[in-house]
Amino acid sequence: MKKIKNIILMLFVSLILISCSTAPLTGRRQLKMVSDEAVAQSSISQYNQMIAELRQNKLLANNTADGQRINQIGRRISRAVEEYLAANGMQDKIRNLQWEFNLIKSKDINAFALPGGKIAFYTGILPVLKTDAAIAFVMGHEIGHVIGGHHAESASNQNLAGFLMIGKKLIDAVTGVPIISDDLAQQGLSLGLLKFNRTQEYEADKYGMIFMAMAGYNPQEAIAAQQRMMDLGGSQGAEILSSHPSTQNRIEELKRFLPEAMKYYKK
């Protein structure tokens, strides 16, 4: 039984090692059981459907002054992203970016970017961000999740969690003695995934500062924007902050990275 248990463990370890890749900005190892291209194809289809429904219900604000503002900032940021990718040997990622910027009529304080270059802002976040530079940071941050492969990584983490629970049940069945309880295993996996999400947020912040700087926005504004969003807290519907690190830790990280980001600043 011990031999069978070891074989099962080796299979799972081998699967993890084969599926590992390197995060572009920080160089950390990340799990990629799902490709960026596969996630992009699925995301674009869902995004197009969502936008079509919003347009039908007259919930897009693209033709307003704020909508044009989002588009203009988006064009500057997207050019910076492509310039960054080309300069860092990631030209292959540019092929998957079909940029589109939409402003959605909603009181929610949120914004997101999906693989494929699909970006959406909610009108509720604009009064909080206030400045073009703050919008540029949030946009760069959300695109950073795409460039960092975080969507594929998160999907891979979810798959891994499922595989690990299957492996645990197989070992339990073979040995007849549970390694740990199912509840404890689930709690451990949840904590591990949460920690990884926060790692992704720190990476996305760094990308956001780089991209805004390359687009001509002062990266010092990233710190001010972050403080304004964090001051709201979750009670006021700041959905964009739901899985982010704590206020002080995040702002301290932004401050530490600021000298590096300033190197990219094009006034």
Side-chain angles (χ1 to χ4, degrees):
M1 285 189 179
K2 184 176 180 181
K3 184 177 181 181
I4 296 174
K5 176 181 175 182
N6 289 337
I7 290 173
I8 294 172
L9 287 172
M10 287 175 63
L11 287 173
F12 276 94
V13 170
S14 298
L15 174 64
I16 293 170
L17 291 175
I18 291 171
S19 303
C20 281
S21 62
T22 302
L25 178 64
T26 61
R28 69 173 174 83
R29 299 293 286 171
Q30 58 183 168
L31 185 68
K32 283 290 190 71
M33 299 171 70
V34 180
S35 70
D36 292 330
E37 290 76 16
V39 174
Q41 290 178 1
S42 174
S43 297
I44 290 173
S45 175
Q46 295 175 20
Y47 183 83
N48 289 341
Q49 181 178 351
M50 180 193 72
I51 294 301
E53 291 177 359
L54 289 170
R55 184 174 289 110
Q56 183 177 0
N57 292 313
K58 302 185 185 305
L59 291 176
L60 289 182
N62 295 337
N63 293 327
T64 65
D66 281 333
Q68 294 172 12
R69 182 186 182 196
I70 291 295
N71 187 66
Q72 289 169 358
I73 296 170
R75 295 303 167 191
R76 289 175 62 173
I77 291 292
S78 62
R79 285 195 295 268
V81 170
E82 293 186 8
E83 182 182 342
Y84 178 87
L85 293 174
N88 288 275
M90 294 184 281
Q91 294 91 335
D92 58 317
K93 291 184 178 291
I94 298 176
R95 294 196 301 269
N96 298 323
L97 297 173
Q98 302 170 12
W99 298 106
E100 182 178 326
F101 307 93
N102 285 289
L103 181 61
I104 300 170
K105 297 176 183 177
S106 171
K107 294 180 180 179
D108 291 340
I109 301 171
N110 204 8
F112 63 87
L114 295 178
K118 308 304 181 184
I119 289 88
F121 269 66
Y122 292 18
T123 52
I125 199 173
L126 299 184
V128 179
L129 295 178
K130 297 181 181 179
T131 68
D132 287 2
I135 293 172
F137 167 64
V138 170
M139 190 177 293
H141 168 98
E142 297 302 328
I143 294 173
H145 283 305
V146 175
I147 302 306
H150 295 166
H151 297 82
E153 186 178 14
S154 295
S156 299
N157 286 338
Q158 292 171 6
N159 288 346
L160 177 62
F163 287 142
L164 289 177
M165 287 303 296
I166 292 172
K168 175 192 175 302
K169 291 182 183 298
L170 284 173
I171 294 173
D172 291 350
V174 169
T175 62
V177 180
I179 305 171
I180 56 174
S181 70
D182 286 354
D183 288 344
L184 191 58
Q186 289 283 10
Q187 289 175 21
L189 288 172
S190 296
L191 287 172
L193 292 175
L194 177 61
K195 181 178 180 181
F196 218 71
N197 284 338
R198 289 177 175 174
T199 298
Q200 293 171 342
E201 294 300 335
Y202 284 129
E203 286 184 354
D205 275 350
K206 292 176 180 178
Y207 273 121
M209 294 182 83
I210 290 173
F211 296 153
M212 71 183 295
M214 292 180 67
Y217 300 100
N218 191 333
Q220 290 179 328
E221 268 293 301
I223 299 170
Q226 186 58 47
Q227 187 64 64
R228 287 197 293 273
M229 285 192 293
M230 288 295 188
D231 284 346
L232 288 176
S235 62
Q236 295 191 45
E239 185 180 348
I240 195 171
L241 305 178
S242 58
S243 64
H244 289 203
S246 68
T247 307
Q248 196 56 43
N249 288 345
R250 195 169 179 195
I251 288 177
E252 288 303 316
E253 282 296 315
L254 289 172
K255 289 178 179 178
R256 275 193 284 270
F257 192 70
L258 182 59
E260 180 65 22
M262 291 298 292
K263 297 176 183 178
Y264 295 86
Y265 185 28
K266 298 179 178 178
K267 298 182 181 179

